[in-house]
Amino acid sequence: PRTVVVNGYSTSFQWPSMLQRKVDRYFDGRRVIEVKSATHGGTPIAKWMDLETGQPLSPWLQKLRPLLKDTETPTIVLGQQSLQWVFGERTKGIRDAQDTAAIKTGANAIRQYAELLVDDGADAVVIAMHIYKHGMEPAIGNERLALQKFIESSPARIFAGPDVWQPTSKVWPQAFRADKVHPNEMGAEIMAHHWFQRLLELGGHEVPSWSEDEMKHAIANPP
């Protein structure tokens, strides 16, 4: 038995329930792993915690910390996050792979976030970065460079999550709502599959083909 806590913002409102559906199916309908959602609109890393002081902010204290403390089973946090506002202005980010100063700043922000999760009770942390975001590229896609830099330091109990930018970039705008920013059911199904796949891979388990089939069905039948 495990508790999985999904931490993110408005782009993660839907896929946690889809992940729960997949996990329950994997265990033949038994609720072995419980997926809980700690999501809050407009809250990338810099809105969950104060990166200068290292202190958690209101959304963390109200939505995230209670889920980390109120569990009797090992807790895994799935953080689908972003570096927006880490560099000052929201639209400012990592320019390219040669932007080493910004990559280092981003990696440090991810480290602070992950370490605070562990300090607050997470037994393991799996981190992915933002999905494709039209109008803020390439900065959003380049957030993955900072995550890669951080993971290269081999942090204890902290792992890289799935790359959800690549698959969502291929289905823009079909997998997004009318605002072309937030995912619709297709986009959420894509994220749920890749998170499900990554969790099984981290545990050394084979990924059942039906999960990818569900994703392909969602792509073939847009809402």
Side-chain angles (χ1 to χ4, degrees), residues 166-184:
Q166 185 86 10
T168 54
S169 68
K170 294 178 179 179
V171 288
W172 184 89
Q174 294 87 352
F176 293 77
R177 296 180 185 175
D179 63 6
K180 298 183 180 181
V181 173
H182 293 90
N184 56 23

Side-chain angles (χ1 to χ4, degrees), residues 4 6 13 39 47 56 62 75-77 110 112 117 119 136 146-147 156 158 163 168 174-175 180 187 199 204 207 209:
V4 169
V6 176
F13 282 169
T39 57
K47 300 298 181 178
Q62 294 177 7
T75 301
I76 304 168
V77 174
I110 297 170
Q112 289 179 271
L117 286 169
D119 290 344
M136 288 189 64
L147 177 60
I158 302 167
D163 178 0
T168 54
Q174 294 87 352
K180 298 183 180 181
L199 288 176
V207 182
S209 60

Side-chain angles (χ1 to χ4, degrees), residues 67-107:
L67 295 183
L68 296 177
K69 301 296 184 182
D70 185 26
T71 178
E72 297 180 356
T73 60
T75 301
I76 304 168
V77 174
L78 310 184
Q80 187 165 302
Q81 279 298 344
S82 176
L83 298 175
Q84 295 172 73
W85 284 297
V86 165
F87 308 98
E89 298 178 10
R90 183 176 189 175
T91 55
K92 195 174 181 181
I94 300 169
R95 296 189 300 273
D96 49 44
Q98 284 69 51
D99 195 358
T100 55
I103 292 173
K104 183 177 180 181
T105 297

Side-chain angles (χ1 to χ4, degrees), residues 132-145:
Y132 176 80
K133 190 168 186 177
H134 185 70
M136 288 189 64
E137 299 295 346
I140 293 297
N142 287 338
E143 291 182 346
R144 297 171 298 161
L145 299 173

Side-chain angles (χ1 to χ4, degrees), residues 34-62:
E34 184 173 5
V35 180
K36 298 183 178 181
S37 181
T39 57
H40 188 79
T43 52
I45 290 176
K47 300 298 181 178
W48 285 99
M49 64 181 298
D50 187 320
L51 295 174
E52 291 187 5
T53 66
Q55 296 301 306
L57 300 176
S58 179
W60 187 298
L61 298 175
Q62 294 177 7

